[in-house]
Amino acid sequence: MTVAAPSANGTRTTSRPAPPRPSQRPPSALELIRSTDRAVEAPAPTSAPEAPQAPPSGFSPEQLAALSAPLDRANVRQREQGRSKVHYLEGWQVIAEANRIFGFDGWQRQTIAVRCVAQAERTIGRDQKPGWGVTYTARVRITVTAGGLPPLIREGSGAGHGIDVDLGQAHESALKEAETDAMKRALMTFGNPFGLALYDKAQRQVSSAAGQGDGPQRQAGQRSSLSRPEAGAPATTASPAQGRSQATASTSTPSAPADLGQVALDAETIQHLHSTLRALPRPLLESLTRAFRKRFQVPEAAATIADRINQKCHHDWIETFLVQHQASSD
């Protein structure tokens, strides 16, 4: 085969014959395998699925330990109801536990509904004195602030009965009892320290002795609450050595009473209480005195309750009474 190419002057010239193209060698089997491997892309590595994480808790480790601890049997009271005995926690005890675990500024109580459902004349006592019987129902909302998370809101309903020769006193007793009952039912949802363990008939989460298996216990006169993490700050925990030393210190206190409420008050605390009571308005002081006499069964022959305020339970009850009065007046 020859190729003709034009010259500069327009004449045709004959070029050399083009060399024959070398024949292409067919690919070997090894080359075919390699080309196939290059054509097939390896699948992208997939990461292992992440394990689901538990939602963050705003409570500190100390608070979680206190909420999950067994209920101290020393705080449990019982009363006759029909042919059976009913176990319960007193209202002041539940408030004290909420202050201890959540902090004085860590929870709020709001009465969102109250209603008088019954009022009738009736006889009272062995003397069959004419009097009144009143029944109220109430619904209370509890709001707890835990760290930087949204507040926790729980609600509970309760009922209260008031029996008195004076109709106003009967209404007062029934209303307070209904609010306290509703508050206890709302706080009960937070765990054993607020009476959840009492709903188990076997009471398997009630300790057989004071402090046995419990979390941090309040010492006499202690007012500080459990540590709560600041908003956005990581929670800190005590080292195992510190925990062991604290446990040893708390269990080595000699002759500690089984019921912390029976701890005797020091003279300074008693004097401070007396000063607080003397500064109260007269109607509030009279109401507190009547309620104190009824609660602690002070005989009518006693001219004053001042000499009866000598134990920690008296101190806590008075503080709770004043807090409830302030909440109801707001």
Side-chain angles (χ1 to χ4, degrees):
M1 176 180 179
T2 60
V3 177
S7 63
N9 55 9
T11 60
R12 291 180 175 270
T13 59
T14 303
S15 62
R16 296 180 182 180
R21 294 180 180 179
S23 61
Q24 187 175 2
R25 180 178 58 85
S28 64
L30 180 60
E31 291 176 341
L32 289 175
I33 294 175
R34 288 178 177 175
S35 63
T36 304
D37 292 341
R38 286 193 298 268
V40 178
E41 295 182 357
T46 57
S47 58
E50 297 182 358
Q53 298 181 354
S57 174
F59 292 125
S60 68
E62 293 84 356
Q63 289 176 310
L64 292 175
L67 291 172
S68 59
L71 174 63
D72 188 354
R73 190 173 295 277
N75 297 332
V76 180
R77 301 292 181 265
Q78 65 179 12
R79 65 174 181 267
E80 300 288 340
Q81 184 170 321
R83 297 182 179 181
S84 60
K85 294 182 179 180
V86 177
H87 296 83
Y88 67 99
L89 296 179
E90 293 183 280
W92 72 267
Q93 179 68 47
V94 173
I95 293 176
E97 285 295 277
N99 288 336
R100 179 178 73 90
I101 297 176
F102 302 136
F104 293 100
D105 59 343
W107 71 288
Q108 297 179 356
R109 188 187 84 173
Q110 179 185 6
T111 301
I112 58 178
V114 63
R115 180 185 177 191
C116 179
V117 296
Q119 173 183 314
E121 296 184 16
R122 55 163 296 172
T123 56
I124 301 175
R126 297 179 179 178
D127 300 336
Q128 297 295 298
K129 296 180 179 180
W132 296 89
V134 177
T135 300
Y136 271 80
T137 60
R139 188 162 185 83
V140 168
R141 175 179 298 161
I142 298 295
T143 304
V144 175
T145 304
L149 298 183
L152 300 175
I153 299 177
R154 307 287 173 83
E155 294 184 359
S157 299
H161 311 283
I163 302 174
D164 204 291
V165 294
D166 182 84
L167 180 58
Q169 292 292 335
H171 275 272
E172 179 183 2
S173 299
L175 175 59
K176 289 182 177 180
E177 183 178 332
E179 288 182 325
T180 300
D181 189 37
M183 175 195 66
K184 292 194 295 183
R185 290 181 182 274
L187 283 171
M188 174 269 300
T189 61
F190 284 101
N192 296 328
F194 303 103
L196 178 62
L198 298 179
Y199 284 78
D200 178 13
K201 294 182 180 181
Q203 296 190 3
R204 286 164 291 190
Q205 289 297 317
V206 180
S207 64
S208 58
Q212 180 178 349
D214 280 8
Q217 293 291 323
R218 285 182 298 121
Q219 301 298 327
Q222 180 179 353
R223 298 191 183 189
S224 61
S225 61
L226 298 178
S227 60
R228 290 178 291 143
E230 298 293 339
T236 58
T237 57
S239 63
Q242 291 175 340
R244 288 193 297 269
S245 62
Q246 292 174 358
T248 304
S250 62
T251 56
S252 60
T253 304
S255 64
D259 189 351
L260 294 178
Q262 298 178 358
V263 175
L265 297 176
D266 55 82
E268 183 179 357
T269 303
I270 294 177
Q271 184 178 3
H272 176 73
L273 277 175
H274 288 174
S275 300
T276 301
L277 296 181
R278 284 194 295 267
L280 295 177
R282 186 172 184 81
L284 178 58
L285 178 59
E286 292 177 352
S287 178
L288 184 146
T289 301
R290 288 194 299 269
F292 187 94
R293 287 177 177 272
K294 182 178 180 180
R295 168 63 183 83
F296 295 103
Q297 299 180 354
V298 179
E300 296 181 0
T304 178
I305 65 170
D307 57 342
R308 306 280 174 161
I309 305 174
N310 51 26
Q311 293 182 348
K312 190 175 184 302
C313 60
H314 304 150
H315 171 275
D316 293 343
W317 183 91
I318 292 175
E319 281 196 343
T320 302
F321 182 92
L322 296 178
V323 169
Q324 290 180 337
H325 174 78
Q326 182 178 2
S328 61
S329 61
D330 290 344

